Amino acid sequence: MDQIGNRAISISNRISSSVTGDEKRKKPKHVKIIPASVKMEMAIQELQDTKRKQTVGQKWNSAAIFSFMWTLYCFAIFVYFLTDPKYCTTWLVYFLLRFLLLFPTYYIARLWQQGWWPPMLAEPEWVGVYIATYIAFISTLAFCVGLNESCGVRETVAKDTIFVELSDDDSLYRLKHGECDIFSGSTSAGYTHQGTCTSELLDRGSFFEKHVFNWVGQLILYLFAFTSLFKPSFKATIWYTGSVGVIGFLGCWYQGFAFWNDSDRVVASGIGTAIFLFLSAAAVNIFSAHVLHNMERDLVNANYELTANMEKRQKQPAGDHVVYLETDLQSSTKLWEHHTETMHKAIKVHHNLMRSLALEYFGWELATEGDAFLLAFHDVFDAVSFALTFQHELMDQDWEQVLLEDVDALYETAKVSSEEKDVLERLRKGCASFKKNPDGSADLLAFQGLRVRMAIHMGNSDGGIKGASCRFVHHLTDLSWGGMILLSEPAVKDLAGVLDQLGNSVSTIKESVNIPKLVSMGVHTFEDYHDPQEMFHIFNEPLRGRHMMWDAKSLQLRDSSQHALGFYDAPVNREGIQEDACIMFGDVENTPMIQKLSAKVFTEAIRDLHAALGPVLLKHRGYNVPQREGHFMFAFKDPLSAVYFHRDFQAALLAVKWPEKLNELPVTAPTYAENDSKTLIFSGLTVCLGMSFGPLAKQLENGRANYTGPTANRAARVCSMSRAGQLTMFEHEYKEQEKLFASAEPLPISAKVMLKEVTLKGVQGKPNVVCLNTDDITQLRQVRI
């Protein structure tokens, strides 16, 4: 590579000179899923912090106004009560309940004025929810109880004040006046006369409606007051509006017992109007809160983007968490030799796309060597987004036909059968390029044009482009294939948690297709790096075609020593398509007892067990599906490989130098064969295994393979029947593979029935369980048992 010193090349200066005329790239189809999601989460968090700490003035003003107005309201009610001794005493209770709100609102105002909020309290908006819901409840309680008692209703007529009370008798009123006797009678032309006393009768229907509109009006007022004063999030607004709606429904339901069947008191059109007004106000409130919340979030996000992006553009990545990305063109020497004139144009397209996207994703060009680039990014999200976008757009360029006919730039597609309905649905929802065939299948674009391999690693910037991190990413690039984006373990650690969070938050295929997927390429060591490290490839929906092709080919990394299988070379060659394979479950015997005696010793022993397991599993091309501690799940291409694995694995466990404290435990102490004190048959941890052979479906979960189907269930059930390091399976499955087992070397595999007609959950019928004799140790164990 051409060294350029400690300063990065200014990308912006080179873009203008490298893109000319008709050679400008097409409008990009950006894949910004990861950074957009992550930054949105950060923006929302910053929005919450802003609400909690920074926007004090507005909150203080709102809370102060709210407290002042509420104080006036409570004072008016209190004065009104004192000036009228006959005023219903129930209203004093409601006054006191309302008055209690004065203290928390004042306290909130003081906290906001001082610019802080106690961490032990709920967010301010949720305190607002509690207060506003409390007010709505008190108002509804007053409406329900006060209306039934009809207290405080009065009419002033002429010079005399007459208090009107509803009587229990139908259509009768009882009039009370200081100088008049009590009179009971029916109406006449809307008036009742008693001596010199004249009273205009109260219309019961309008009396009820008046209180309904008064009550609904209060609820609507509280809705808008809550939104305007507390500036809640959209979620808090939904919660509050819903709670007020429930309170209103309960108020109407309670009043229904007393009034709904009384046509004189209730006018359907009036009540319907009140309900319509409330629902309309609730809808307007929710919509306005939604709009305001989106505007506020967008403003905060824009501020975050502006601040973060300016820092990324002005300051070259440095420190302990620099993300390095190296690219290299597959078979570039051969392409230049065979298509010299075409490659001049192609490499210009490649360079233009590389530099323009690097500028857009805040990548700093550290060095170039021919068609290879070394870039640095501030975070792994920008680096991965750049890589995904580049690989997608590279296929969309206008490549010359002569180049597309070369094997290293060939137009290739992956076949999606009509039975793969899930994949077809994802294609329809996603943005991958595909062609649908008349038979219902589809041809999914995998490659078109130049193939660029990429590697991403996160490390420190010590030593610049000659430092350890840059050397590591260079070696990592050599392991990759054209079109692959290979990530090291440090880069994946920052990325995996975010992808899992995004995956758990989606509910539809349309949302899930936009989330990139990690794919384990297995555990490897390579030149100058002898510590085993798990490598990952990443793809998104536009790159699904090459993912399917590599899965079908059982692709492995180049020029490395493999220590554990990856997703692509795991048994079953195509994700989602069932194939016959062997699944094996295993459990460490006496796990609860050992953990109870010494959990620390058990953890150390499990670590020793995995050290012995790895080489044996790789030898027989078995795939280790991650399980919880002390439990195992393995997949093999055929039953004979599984049997050989059991034989070698049990022998490897006997050879392990277990912790001394483990050997002192009664359940794990060394045990020798009967009549042979030199033949060790048990030592340390013992793993019991059960296997089944049949159709299995491979699924990509958290970057690794998982297997589902009835075959996996049968293996798990028959494993529960195994004891003392046995390998068990169902008798009818053993007979189906008996000829294969008879060809085993150095001795044929025999079986012995250990349980007859067992009933197991999820297993049809009552099959017999057999124990396989894989070697002499197994037979000696049987005798011991």
Side-chain angles (χ1 to χ4, degrees), residues 325-342:
L325 184 150
E326 183 167 312
T327 73
D328 192 20
L329 186 60
Q330 177 175 298
S331 303
S332 59
T333 304
K334 190 201 77 171
L335 290 174
W336 276 104
E337 183 178 347
H338 293 168
H339 313 288
T340 305
E341 185 177 347
T342 301

Side-chain angles (χ1 to χ4, degrees), residues 553-623:
K553 294 178 180 179
S554 299
L555 186 75
Q556 300 179 28
L557 294 182
R558 311 180 328 143
D559 304 329
S560 68
S561 299
Q562 191 175 35
H563 296 265
L565 301 186
F567 178 84
Y568 291 143
D569 48 353
V572 180
N573 290 331
R574 182 74 172 267
E575 180 184 4
I577 300 295
Q578 286 195 344
E579 292 181 9
D580 285 343
C582 185
I583 202 77
M584 178 183 287
F585 277 86
D587 297 311
V588 175
E589 195 170 31
N590 300 316
T591 293
M593 186 182 300
I594 301 172
Q595 288 180 323
K596 185 176 181 180
L597 293 173
S598 179
K600 182 178 179 180
V601 170
F602 180 76
T603 301
E604 294 177 1
I606 287 292
R607 185 169 56 248
D608 294 338
L609 185 152
H610 279 282
L613 168 66
V616 179
L617 193 61
L618 182 65
K619 175 183 176 181
H620 300 289
R621 304 304 294 172
Y623 183 81

Side-chain angles (χ1 to χ4, degrees), residues 1 326 369 469-479:
M1 290 187 177
E326 183 167 312
E369 183 181 0
S469 296
C470 290
R471 290 200 308 272
F472 186 88
V473 76
H474 177 71
H475 285 295
L476 209 61
T477 308
D478 292 338
L479 306 183

Side-chain angles (χ1 to χ4, degrees), residues 207-327:
F207 168 72
F208 178 73
E209 290 184 14
K210 179 177 68 174
H211 280 70
V212 168
F213 280 104
N214 179 39
W215 168 58
V216 171
Q218 290 184 58
L219 296 184
I220 293 175
L221 177 62
Y222 299 151
L223 282 178
F224 290 111
F226 167 71
T227 303
S228 61
L229 293 178
F230 289 96
K231 305 296 187 298
S233 65
F234 183 63
K235 181 179 179 181
T237 304
I238 291 290
W239 269 96
Y240 170 65
T241 305
S243 63
V244 172
V246 171
I247 291 172
F249 170 77
L250 293 176
C252 292
W253 177 73
Y254 177 79
Q255 286 298 332
F257 285 109
F259 293 106
W260 287 158
N261 297 323
D262 190 340
S263 59
D264 292 334
R265 296 188 179 191
V266 179
V267 179
S269 61
I271 302 302
T273 303
I275 295 176
F276 174 76
L277 288 176
F278 175 77
L279 294 178
S280 300
V284 170
N285 186 57
I286 292 175
F287 178 74
S288 60
H290 175 68
V291 172
L292 290 174
H293 176 66
N294 285 343
M295 291 176 60
E296 192 172 22
R297 183 184 61 180
D298 291 343
L299 287 174
V300 173
N301 189 38
N303 178 66
Y304 171 85
E305 289 281 355
L306 180 62
T307 304
N309 295 350
M310 288 297 293
E311 181 180 355
K312 290 178 181 180
R313 292 197 189 282
Q314 295 173 358
K315 186 178 179 181
Q316 180 179 341
D320 295 330
H321 297 88
V322 177
V323 179
Y324 293 98
L325 184 150
E326 183 167 312
T327 73

Side-chain angles (χ1 to χ4, degrees), residues 559-739:
D559 304 329
S560 68
S561 299
Q562 191 175 35
H563 296 265
L565 301 186
F567 178 84
Y568 291 143
D569 48 353
V572 180
N573 290 331
R574 182 74 172 267
E575 180 184 4
I577 300 295
Q578 286 195 344
E579 292 181 9
D580 285 343
C582 185
I583 202 77
M584 178 183 287
F585 277 86
D587 297 311
V588 175
E589 195 170 31
N590 300 316
T591 293
M593 186 182 300
I594 301 172
Q595 288 180 323
K596 185 176 181 180
L597 293 173
S598 179
K600 182 178 179 180
V601 170
F602 180 76
T603 301
E604 294 177 1
I606 287 292
R607 185 169 56 248
D608 294 338
L609 185 152
H610 279 282
L613 168 66
V616 179
L617 193 61
L618 182 65
K619 175 183 176 181
H620 300 289
R621 304 304 294 172
Y623 183 81
N624 186 8
V625 181
Q627 302 289 307
R628 66 183 188 275
E629 190 176 58
H631 301 271
F632 304 93
M633 180 179 178
F634 308 118
F636 300 89
K637 290 187 178 296
D638 57 80
L640 201 56
S641 298
V643 170
Y644 287 157
F645 163 76
H646 172 265
R647 179 191 62 194
D648 293 347
F649 182 42
Q650 296 297 333
L653 291 179
L654 292 177
V656 171
K657 186 177 180 180
W658 300 105
E660 293 183 4
K661 292 185 178 180
L662 184 70
N663 291 329
E664 296 173 358
L665 300 178
V667 295
T668 54
T671 304
Y672 293 88
E674 292 185 1
N675 304 323
D676 187 354
S677 60
K678 295 183 179 180
T679 303
L680 185 67
I681 59 175
F682 292 108
S683 178
L685 299 183
T686 302
V687 180
C688 306
L689 299 166
M691 59 179 276
S692 181
F693 182 77
L696 284 171
K698 182 171 70 172
Q699 305 292 340
L700 180 63
E701 294 183 5
N702 299 321
R704 298 174 178 88
N706 191 21
Y707 295 88
T708 58
T711 303
N713 178 67
R714 292 196 302 270
R717 300 305 175 190
V718 77
C719 175
S720 64
M721 301 290 102
S722 179
R723 297 290 181 271
Q726 294 174 332
L727 174 60
T728 55
M729 67 185 303
F730 292 120
E731 185 180 26
H732 65 277
E733 292 186 356
Y734 169 78
K735 290 183 177 180
E736 292 173 358
Q737 306 295 329
E738 193 167 8
K739 290 184 178 180

Side-chain angles (χ1 to χ4, degrees), residues 88-124:
C88 179
T89 55
T90 308
W91 284 88
L92 178 61
V93 177
Y94 301 140
F95 160 72
L96 293 176
L97 291 175
R98 287 179 169 94
F99 185 73
L100 291 176
L101 285 178
L102 180 62
F103 299 100
T105 52
Y106 176 76
Y107 179 64
I108 291 174
R110 291 292 299 170
L111 289 178
W112 275 329
Q113 183 191 29
Q114 296 171 10
W116 67 281
W117 187 259
M120 71 288 299
L121 295 181
E123 294 291 337

Side-chain angles (χ1 to χ4, degrees), residues 416-603:
V416 182
S417 68
S418 58
E419 297 178 357
E420 299 178 81
K421 296 181 179 179
D422 180 63
V423 178
L424 293 172
E425 179 67 12
R426 296 178 69 88
L427 294 179
R428 190 175 67 85
K429 299 288 185 180
C431 53
S433 300
F434 68 98
K435 182 181 70 173
K436 196 167 184 178
N437 300 320
D439 61 355
S441 64
D443 294 324
L444 177 59
L445 179 63
F447 293 100
Q448 181 175 254
L450 298 181
R451 302 185 183 185
V452 176
R453 51 178 178 259
M454 293 179 162
I456 299 175
H457 172 63
M458 184 170 67
N460 62 61
S461 58
D462 296 345
I465 61 175
K466 292 187 176 181
S469 296
C470 290
R471 290 200 308 272
F472 186 88
V473 76
H474 177 71
H475 285 295
L476 209 61
T477 308
D478 292 338
L479 306 183
S480 181
W481 292 90
M484 180 177 287
I485 306 169
L486 195 62
L487 286 81
S488 65
E489 275 189 359
V492 170
K493 285 181 181 179
D494 270 11
L495 189 64
V498 175
L499 295 182
D500 291 343
Q501 181 182 359
L502 294 175
N504 295 331
S505 65
V506 302
S507 57
T508 64
I509 292 180
K510 188 174 183 179
E511 293 174 329
S512 65
V513 297
N514 293 323
I515 300 176
K517 307 292 191 301
L518 287 169
V519 181
S520 173
M521 299 302 297
V523 179
H524 298 262
T525 56
F526 48 94
E527 183 183 357
D528 298 332
Y529 295 92
H530 303 295
D531 293 330
Q533 184 171 147
E534 187 173 15
M535 308 295 179
F536 288 84
H537 163 60
I538 191 168
F539 74 96
N540 60 350
E541 209 58 31
L543 306 178
R544 177 172 287 276
R546 58 189 64 173
H547 164 70
M548 297 177 68
M549 286 186 61
W550 290 336
D551 194 11
K553 294 178 180 179
S554 299
L555 186 75
Q556 300 179 28
L557 294 182
R558 311 180 328 143
D559 304 329
S560 68
S561 299
Q562 191 175 35
H563 296 265
L565 301 186
F567 178 84
Y568 291 143
D569 48 353
V572 180
N573 290 331
R574 182 74 172 267
E575 180 184 4
I577 300 295
Q578 286 195 344
E579 292 181 9
D580 285 343
C582 185
I583 202 77
M584 178 183 287
F585 277 86
D587 297 311
V588 175
E589 195 170 31
N590 300 316
T591 293
M593 186 182 300
I594 301 172
Q595 288 180 323
K596 185 176 181 180
L597 293 173
S598 179
K600 182 178 179 180
V601 170
F602 180 76
T603 301

